[in-house]
Amino acid sequence: MPSHANQARALSFDTVATQYAAARPGYPPALFDAVEELAGRPLAGANVLDCGAGTGIATRLMRERGAHVVALEPGAGMAATLRAAEPEIPLVRGEGNLLPFAAHSFDVITYAQAWHWTDPASSVPEALRVLRPHGVLALWWNQADVRVTWVAAEDARLAPFTRNYPATVAELVAPFPVHVATREILWSRRITVEEHIHNLGTHSHFAVMDPIERAELLDMNRTALARIFPGGELDEPYRCGLTVVRSATTHT
């Protein structure tokens, strides 16, 4: 099971839920195109469980593509923000290590920016139990593209305070009878320096930080970015890594 400290970090988003909804990036259409390609079916008409749905960023985008989405969220603050913005989306409180659903309930299970908060020893078998035959588990993360010079410099400034995502999902799911496919989608969004700082402030390592220390660190980063982007705007580049997992024991 996840450590107490890890659970505390996972639930720290409740304290920044409103800022999270406003500042976090979404996902490009190419990501969902790739999900459909690797799943072998369109999202339109699919029954989808979005685990760790947060404020509903991915939930909303999949619903716009015609999916029938149920949002699963453990945090009270994040769930309340999702409910206020999207009252028509079914919302269940719970987490991926013990899914509160019957076997064979969904065509697709997704974790957008969330699977690293689970224990794969529990979350993978639970996903395989709840998926229908030929269903898929889709996991993805937006990660800053450190091949871009200013992003690499920022990463170096903040490295002592940050928490990385899993380097390879394939290694974590290797003990299970599954097939794995991956894609990487490159994309960016044009935002202000201040919006970028607000985005950084929603990450768990900042959310759990002492407020004074957090303000000082983000202000230091703001000052550095202002020198690079005197016009106050930047392109925030991402490498969106997608992993799609399906059971290797499913038969036709």
Side-chain angles (χ1 to χ4, degrees):
M1 293 295 291
S3 69
H4 177 75
N6 202 49
Q7 288 177 316
R9 289 178 73 101
L11 295 176
S12 68
F13 298 111
D14 286 332
T15 65
V16 293
T18 300
Q19 182 176 339
Y20 191 108
R24 280 291 183 110
Y27 304 99
L31 168 67
F32 300 105
D33 292 342
V35 171
E36 292 177 334
E37 175 196 344
L38 296 178
R41 62 157 301 152
L43 285 169
N47 291 306
V48 178
L49 175 63
D50 188 22
C51 294
T55 62
I57 295 172
T59 313
R60 185 179 307 110
L61 292 170
M62 289 188 287
R63 190 170 182 271
E64 290 173 358
R65 288 181 77 107
H68 307 298
V69 188
V70 174
L72 181 75
E73 171 54 39
M78 297 287 269
T81 302
L82 191 160
R83 170 64 69 217
E86 306 287 347
E88 72 285 359
I89 292 178
L91 172 63
V92 177
R93 294 289 304 282
E95 47 91 19
N97 293 325
L98 187 62
L99 294 174
F101 300 98
H104 313 307
S105 296
F106 294 96
D107 301 305
V108 181
I109 296 176
T110 62
Y111 282 85
Q113 226 68 27
W115 192 69
H116 53 287
W117 298 116
T118 74
D119 175 7
S122 298
S123 60
V124 174
E126 277 292 273
L128 295 178
R129 177 184 67 82
V130 171
L131 281 171
R132 291 172 179 159
H134 309 292
V136 298
L137 169 64
L139 321 168
W140 65 81
W141 290 265
N142 276 324
Q143 298 197 63
D145 191 345
V146 295
R147 297 171 301 180
V148 176
T149 302
W150 76 262
V151 178
E154 178 181 75
D155 185 67
R157 282 193 299 274
L158 302 179
F161 310 95
T162 58
R163 178 187 192 277
N164 293 324
Y165 298 134
T168 167
V169 175
E171 291 178 0
L172 297 177
V173 302
F176 304 97
V178 295
H179 295 301
V180 177
T182 62
R183 291 286 188 279
E184 183 177 75
I185 296 91
L186 304 180
W187 73 287
S188 67
R189 61 173 185 165
R190 185 74 174 176
I191 58 173
T192 67
V193 169
E194 197 59 34
E195 286 169 335
H196 176 71
I197 295 297
H198 281 283
N199 175 22
L200 291 177
T202 68
H203 289 251
S204 63
H205 36 263
F206 291 113
V208 300
M209 195 177 289
D210 174 81
I212 295 175
E213 182 183 2
R214 177 174 62 239
E216 290 176 347
L217 182 61
L218 291 176
D219 191 56
M220 175 269 292
N221 194 55
R222 179 187 290 108
T223 299
L225 292 177
R227 288 195 294 267
I228 303 169
F229 303 105
E233 291 189 339
L234 53 80
D235 288 311
E236 192 177 66
Y238 287 103
R239 303 173 72 172
C240 187
L242 167 68
T243 300
V244 172
V245 180
R246 66 170 70 244
S247 173
T249 61
T250 299
H251 300 285
T252 54

